[in-house]
Amino acid sequence: MKILILGVNGFIGSHITHRILNTTDWEVYGMDLGTSKVTEYLGHPRFHFSQGDITISREWIELHVKKCDVILPLVAIATPATYVKNPLRVFELDFEENLKVIRHCVKYKKRIVFPSTSEVYGMCPDDEFDEDKSPLVTGPIAMDRWIYSTSKQLLDRIIWAYGWQQNLRFTLFRPFNFMGPKLDSLHAAKEGSSRLVTQFIWNLINGEPLKLVDGGSQRRCFIDVDDAMNGLMMILENKDHKADGQIFNIGNPQNDYSVKEIAEKLRSIWADHPKRKELNVPLSQIEISSSGDFYGKGYQDVLTRTPSINKIQQTFGFKPTIGIDESLKKSLEHFLLEYATMGRDVDN
Ligand code: UDP
């Protein structure tokens, strides 16, 4: 099988490439702006990489949609700090550019495996978010945060409609706070535009305070990226075509923690870490910050976000097993290595 991965150098792209190259005989065709997360695969005989910008490399993309069997378009801005800072960039990249790829898949009759997002459920009141039943609840227009959620929601609806009106073969998957090595980068965290775990790790390594937005009682279910890749592989393999025309949450409802609990856990792992003593970094304090101070205007939070994973469990036997402590430790070790090379590696 030939798979086209746009945004192959991202968090999900690099991990799924690793899994594909190590466990299948598939050919991976990938495009990205940089190579920092896929350097180790560049010489692999089944990894065909092209460095480029999907907003410019239109012909390459069309040619490769035509050539490949499955299309995994992962290019998107997925960091809340950017939703409020530059909502139009989110719309132009996440919505407009991906719509073009979707239309190529319709034209050339290719299967698309599209990343929807847990963010589409927004402030859904359900205890567990169900792919086929839960309402999708967003906030007022002045709350720019929701531009990502609504862009993705509309793409979900467009793909769905292409499915029944024009026979597009598709699967939508919804990541619930995937975490692990390569989630964002320390460069992003340095600018304060990273997601929670990477942001806190950067703060700890630099002895800066960990900031709990609006008190940190908001909760997320975190899934280790290795567990998450098991789920995504099941969808890509698509045994008996059971993923066709379906939406699947990928998450771990067991790893349900508040932001404050994550801060405390990471801080205590770092407190006893030999590297902290080596770097001679003071142990960070935990502080409370208002969302207005932290993100600026246009931010509204999601207070709980728990996936139902019954569907992927019953369809493919998906069962995440990695606990939060192991996943946090793994992430910290990765970012310590990245920290040691910072300054030399500038393409991300
Ligand atoms: N958050 C925080 N401090 C930080 C970064 C994030 O309190 O330094 C909070 C943020 O307000 C949100 C949660 O952590 O409630 C998760 O944020 P993330 O950026 O990882 O993405 P989300 O899960 O909201 O998509």
Short mmCIF file of all heavy atoms in Angstrom, two decimals, residues 71-105:
data_model
loop_
_atom_site.label_atom_id
_atom_site.label_comp_id
_atom_site.label_asym_id
_atom_site.label_seq_id
_atom_site.Cartn_x
_atom_site.Cartn_y
_atom_site.Cartn_z
N ILE A 71 -4.83 8.60 1.84
CA ILE A 71 -4.32 9.96 2.05
C ILE A 71 -4.58 10.35 3.51
O ILE A 71 -5.71 10.24 4.00
CB ILE A 71 -5.05 10.97 1.12
CG1 ILE A 71 -5.23 10.43 -0.31
CG2 ILE A 71 -4.36 12.34 1.15
CD1 ILE A 71 -3.98 9.98 -1.02
N LEU A 72 -3.51 10.79 4.18
CA LEU A 72 -3.60 11.20 5.59
C LEU A 72 -3.14 12.66 5.67
O LEU A 72 -1.94 12.92 5.82
CB LEU A 72 -2.72 10.25 6.42
CG LEU A 72 -2.67 10.39 7.93
CD1 LEU A 72 -4.03 10.19 8.57
CD2 LEU A 72 -1.66 9.39 8.53
N PRO A 73 -4.06 13.60 5.57
CA PRO A 73 -3.63 15.02 5.54
C PRO A 73 -3.57 15.58 6.96
O PRO A 73 -4.59 15.93 7.54
CB PRO A 73 -4.74 15.72 4.73
CG PRO A 73 -5.83 14.71 4.54
CD PRO A 73 -5.50 13.49 5.35
N LEU A 74 -2.37 15.68 7.49
CA LEU A 74 -2.21 16.07 8.90
C LEU A 74 -1.81 17.53 9.08
O LEU A 74 -1.62 17.97 10.21
CB LEU A 74 -1.15 15.17 9.56
CG LEU A 74 -1.48 13.68 9.63
CD1 LEU A 74 -0.27 12.88 10.14
CD2 LEU A 74 -2.68 13.42 10.53
N VAL A 75 -1.66 18.26 7.99
CA VAL A 75 -1.22 19.65 8.15
C VAL A 75 -2.33 20.47 8.81
O VAL A 75 -3.45 20.54 8.28
CB VAL A 75 -0.87 20.29 6.79
CG1 VAL A 75 -0.55 21.77 6.97
CG2 VAL A 75 0.31 19.57 6.16
N ALA A 76 -2.03 21.04 9.95
CA ALA A 76 -3.00 21.91 10.62
C ALA A 76 -2.33 22.61 11.78
O ALA A 76 -1.37 22.08 12.36
CB ALA A 76 -4.19 21.10 11.15
N ILE A 77 -2.85 23.77 12.11
CA ILE A 77 -2.46 24.41 13.37
C ILE A 77 -3.40 23.85 14.42
O ILE A 77 -4.61 23.90 14.26
CB ILE A 77 -2.62 25.94 13.25
CG1 ILE A 77 -1.60 26.50 12.26
CG2 ILE A 77 -2.50 26.60 14.62
CD1 ILE A 77 -1.90 27.90 11.80
N ALA A 78 -2.84 23.28 15.49
CA ALA A 78 -3.70 22.64 16.50
C ALA A 78 -3.34 23.10 17.90
O ALA A 78 -3.48 22.34 18.86
CB ALA A 78 -3.59 21.12 16.37
N THR A 79 -2.87 24.33 18.03
CA THR A 79 -2.50 24.84 19.35
C THR A 79 -3.41 26.01 19.72
O THR A 79 -3.47 27.01 18.99
CB THR A 79 -1.03 25.32 19.36
OG1 THR A 79 -0.81 26.10 18.19
CG2 THR A 79 -0.07 24.17 19.36
N PRO A 80 -4.15 25.88 20.86
CA PRO A 80 -5.11 26.93 21.25
C PRO A 80 -4.52 28.33 21.27
O PRO A 80 -5.19 29.30 20.90
CB PRO A 80 -5.55 26.48 22.65
CG PRO A 80 -5.42 24.99 22.61
CD PRO A 80 -4.23 24.72 21.76
N ALA A 81 -3.23 28.45 21.63
CA ALA A 81 -2.64 29.80 21.67
C ALA A 81 -2.73 30.46 20.28
O ALA A 81 -2.96 31.67 20.18
CB ALA A 81 -1.18 29.71 22.13
N THR A 82 -2.58 29.67 19.22
CA THR A 82 -2.64 30.24 17.86
C THR A 82 -4.09 30.50 17.43
O THR A 82 -4.34 31.41 16.65
CB THR A 82 -1.94 29.31 16.84
OG1 THR A 82 -0.73 28.85 17.42
CG2 THR A 82 -1.62 30.03 15.55
N TYR A 83 -5.05 29.71 17.92
CA TYR A 83 -6.46 29.95 17.53
C TYR A 83 -6.85 31.38 17.89
O TYR A 83 -7.59 32.03 17.16
CB TYR A 83 -7.46 29.02 18.23
CG TYR A 83 -7.15 27.55 18.25
CD1 TYR A 83 -7.72 26.72 19.22
CD2 TYR A 83 -6.32 26.97 17.30
CE1 TYR A 83 -7.46 25.37 19.26
CE2 TYR A 83 -6.05 25.62 17.34
CZ TYR A 83 -6.61 24.82 18.32
OH TYR A 83 -6.36 23.48 18.37
N VAL A 84 -6.37 31.85 19.05
CA VAL A 84 -6.78 33.19 19.48
C VAL A 84 -5.86 34.28 18.95
O VAL A 84 -6.28 35.42 18.77
CB VAL A 84 -6.91 33.29 21.03
CG1 VAL A 84 -8.03 32.40 21.52
CG2 VAL A 84 -5.62 32.94 21.74
N LYS A 85 -4.61 33.92 18.66
CA LYS A 85 -3.66 34.93 18.17
C LYS A 85 -3.85 35.16 16.68
O LYS A 85 -3.73 36.27 16.19
CB LYS A 85 -2.22 34.43 18.40
CG LYS A 85 -1.43 35.32 19.35
CD LYS A 85 -0.01 34.82 19.49
CE LYS A 85 0.21 34.17 20.85
NZ LYS A 85 1.12 33.05 20.88
N ASN A 86 -4.11 34.10 15.92
CA ASN A 86 -4.19 34.23 14.47
C ASN A 86 -5.27 33.33 13.88
O ASN A 86 -4.99 32.37 13.14
CB ASN A 86 -2.82 33.91 13.87
CG ASN A 86 -2.66 34.58 12.51
OD1 ASN A 86 -3.66 34.93 11.87
ND2 ASN A 86 -1.44 34.78 12.08
N PRO A 87 -6.54 33.66 14.19
CA PRO A 87 -7.63 32.79 13.75
C PRO A 87 -7.71 32.64 12.23
O PRO A 87 -8.07 31.57 11.73
CB PRO A 87 -8.89 33.47 14.30
CG PRO A 87 -8.48 34.83 14.75
CD PRO A 87 -7.01 34.78 15.03
N LEU A 88 -7.35 33.69 11.49
CA LEU A 88 -7.45 33.56 10.03
C LEU A 88 -6.44 32.58 9.47
O LEU A 88 -6.72 31.84 8.52
CB LEU A 88 -7.28 34.94 9.36
CG LEU A 88 -8.51 35.85 9.50
CD1 LEU A 88 -8.24 37.20 8.87
CD2 LEU A 88 -9.75 35.20 8.88
N ARG A 89 -5.27 32.55 10.08
CA ARG A 89 -4.27 31.57 9.62
C ARG A 89 -4.78 30.15 9.86
O ARG A 89 -4.58 29.26 9.05
CB ARG A 89 -2.95 31.79 10.38
CG ARG A 89 -1.76 31.83 9.45
CD ARG A 89 -0.47 31.92 10.20
NE ARG A 89 0.27 30.68 10.13
CZ ARG A 89 0.99 30.18 11.13
NH1 ARG A 89 1.06 30.81 12.28
NH2 ARG A 89 1.64 29.06 10.97
N VAL A 90 -5.46 29.96 10.99
CA VAL A 90 -6.04 28.64 11.30
C VAL A 90 -7.06 28.28 10.22
O VAL A 90 -7.05 27.17 9.68
CB VAL A 90 -6.69 28.65 12.70
CG1 VAL A 90 -7.44 27.34 12.96
CG2 VAL A 90 -5.64 28.90 13.77
N PHE A 91 -7.93 29.24 9.87
CA PHE A 91 -8.95 28.96 8.86
C PHE A 91 -8.30 28.66 7.50
O PHE A 91 -8.66 27.70 6.82
CB PHE A 91 -9.90 30.16 8.72
CG PHE A 91 -10.84 30.01 7.57
CD1 PHE A 91 -11.90 29.12 7.63
CD2 PHE A 91 -10.65 30.72 6.38
CE1 PHE A 91 -12.75 28.93 6.54
CE2 PHE A 91 -11.49 30.54 5.29
CZ PHE A 91 -12.54 29.65 5.37
N GLU A 92 -7.32 29.50 7.12
CA GLU A 92 -6.74 29.34 5.78
C GLU A 92 -6.00 28.01 5.64
O GLU A 92 -6.14 27.32 4.63
CB GLU A 92 -5.77 30.50 5.49
CG GLU A 92 -6.51 31.81 5.22
CD GLU A 92 -5.65 33.05 5.47
OE1 GLU A 92 -4.42 32.92 5.70
OE2 GLU A 92 -6.21 34.15 5.45
N LEU A 93 -5.25 27.65 6.67
CA LEU A 93 -4.49 26.40 6.57
C LEU A 93 -5.37 25.19 6.87
O LEU A 93 -5.50 24.28 6.05
CB LEU A 93 -3.30 26.45 7.55
CG LEU A 93 -2.35 25.27 7.41
CD1 LEU A 93 -1.61 25.31 6.09
CD2 LEU A 93 -1.33 25.24 8.56
N ASP A 94 -5.99 25.21 8.04
CA ASP A 94 -6.72 24.01 8.47
C ASP A 94 -7.93 23.74 7.58
O ASP A 94 -8.19 22.60 7.21
CB ASP A 94 -7.20 24.18 9.93
CG ASP A 94 -6.05 24.28 10.92
OD1 ASP A 94 -4.93 24.61 10.50
OD2 ASP A 94 -6.26 24.04 12.12
N PHE A 95 -8.65 24.81 7.22
CA PHE A 95 -9.87 24.60 6.43
C PHE A 95 -9.59 24.66 4.93
O PHE A 95 -9.77 23.68 4.21
CB PHE A 95 -10.94 25.63 6.81
CG PHE A 95 -12.23 25.38 6.10
CD1 PHE A 95 -13.16 24.50 6.63
CD2 PHE A 95 -12.50 25.97 4.87
CE1 PHE A 95 -14.35 24.23 5.95
CE2 PHE A 95 -13.68 25.69 4.19
CZ PHE A 95 -14.61 24.83 4.73
N GLU A 96 -9.12 25.80 4.46
CA GLU A 96 -9.05 25.99 3.00
C GLU A 96 -8.08 25.02 2.33
O GLU A 96 -8.39 24.43 1.30
CB GLU A 96 -8.65 27.43 2.68
CG GLU A 96 -9.75 28.42 3.04
CD GLU A 96 -9.48 29.82 2.50
OE1 GLU A 96 -8.44 30.41 2.88
OE2 GLU A 96 -10.29 30.32 1.72
N GLU A 97 -6.91 24.85 2.90
CA GLU A 97 -5.92 23.97 2.24
C GLU A 97 -6.37 22.51 2.30
O GLU A 97 -6.20 21.76 1.35
CB GLU A 97 -4.54 24.14 2.88
CG GLU A 97 -3.91 25.50 2.65
CD GLU A 97 -3.83 25.90 1.17
OE1 GLU A 97 -3.61 25.02 0.32
OE2 GLU A 97 -4.00 27.11 0.88
N ASN A 98 -6.97 22.12 3.41
CA ASN A 98 -7.41 20.72 3.52
C ASN A 98 -8.60 20.42 2.63
O ASN A 98 -8.74 19.30 2.14
CB ASN A 98 -7.68 20.37 4.99
CG ASN A 98 -6.38 20.07 5.70
OD1 ASN A 98 -5.72 19.06 5.43
ND2 ASN A 98 -5.96 20.96 6.58
N LEU A 99 -9.45 21.44 2.41
CA LEU A 99 -10.59 21.21 1.52
C LEU A 99 -10.10 20.84 0.11
O LEU A 99 -10.66 19.98 -0.56
CB LEU A 99 -11.48 22.47 1.48
CG LEU A 99 -12.74 22.35 0.63
CD1 LEU A 99 -13.60 21.16 1.04
CD2 LEU A 99 -13.55 23.64 0.71
N LYS A 100 -9.00 21.48 -0.31
CA LYS A 100 -8.45 21.15 -1.64
C LYS A 100 -8.02 19.68 -1.69
O LYS A 100 -8.24 18.99 -2.69
CB LYS A 100 -7.24 22.05 -1.95
CG LYS A 100 -7.64 23.51 -2.13
CD LYS A 100 -6.40 24.40 -2.28
CE LYS A 100 -6.79 25.86 -2.14
NZ LYS A 100 -5.68 26.71 -1.74
N VAL A 101 -7.39 19.24 -0.61
CA VAL A 101 -6.92 17.84 -0.58
C VAL A 101 -8.11 16.89 -0.60
O VAL A 101 -8.12 15.87 -1.31
CB VAL A 101 -6.04 17.59 0.67
CG1 VAL A 101 -5.59 16.14 0.73
CG2 VAL A 101 -4.83 18.54 0.68
N ILE A 102 -9.14 17.23 0.17
CA ILE A 102 -10.35 16.40 0.20
C ILE A 102 -10.94 16.28 -1.21
O ILE A 102 -11.32 15.20 -1.67
CB ILE A 102 -11.39 17.01 1.18
CG1 ILE A 102 -10.87 16.95 2.61
CG2 ILE A 102 -12.75 16.31 1.05
CD1 ILE A 102 -11.60 17.86 3.60
N ARG A 103 -10.97 17.41 -1.92
CA ARG A 103 -11.55 17.39 -3.27
C ARG A 103 -10.71 16.55 -4.24
O ARG A 103 -11.27 15.89 -5.14
CB ARG A 103 -11.73 18.81 -3.79
CG ARG A 103 -12.88 19.48 -3.04
CD ARG A 103 -13.28 20.79 -3.67
NE ARG A 103 -14.60 21.18 -3.22
CZ ARG A 103 -14.95 22.44 -2.87
NH1 ARG A 103 -14.07 23.41 -2.95
NH2 ARG A 103 -16.17 22.70 -2.49
N HIS A 104 -9.39 16.55 -4.05
CA HIS A 104 -8.56 15.65 -4.87
C HIS A 104 -8.93 14.20 -4.59
O HIS A 104 -8.95 13.37 -5.49
CB HIS A 104 -7.07 15.84 -4.56
CG HIS A 104 -6.48 17.12 -5.08
ND1 HIS A 104 -6.80 17.65 -6.30
CD2 HIS A 104 -5.57 17.97 -4.53
CE1 HIS A 104 -6.11 18.76 -6.49
NE2 HIS A 104 -5.37 18.99 -5.43
N CYS A 105 -9.18 13.89 -3.33
CA CYS A 105 -9.53 12.50 -2.98
C CYS A 105 -10.85 12.10 -3.63
O CYS A 105 -11.01 10.97 -4.09
CB CYS A 105 -9.63 12.32 -1.46
SG CYS A 105 -8.05 12.51 -0.63
#
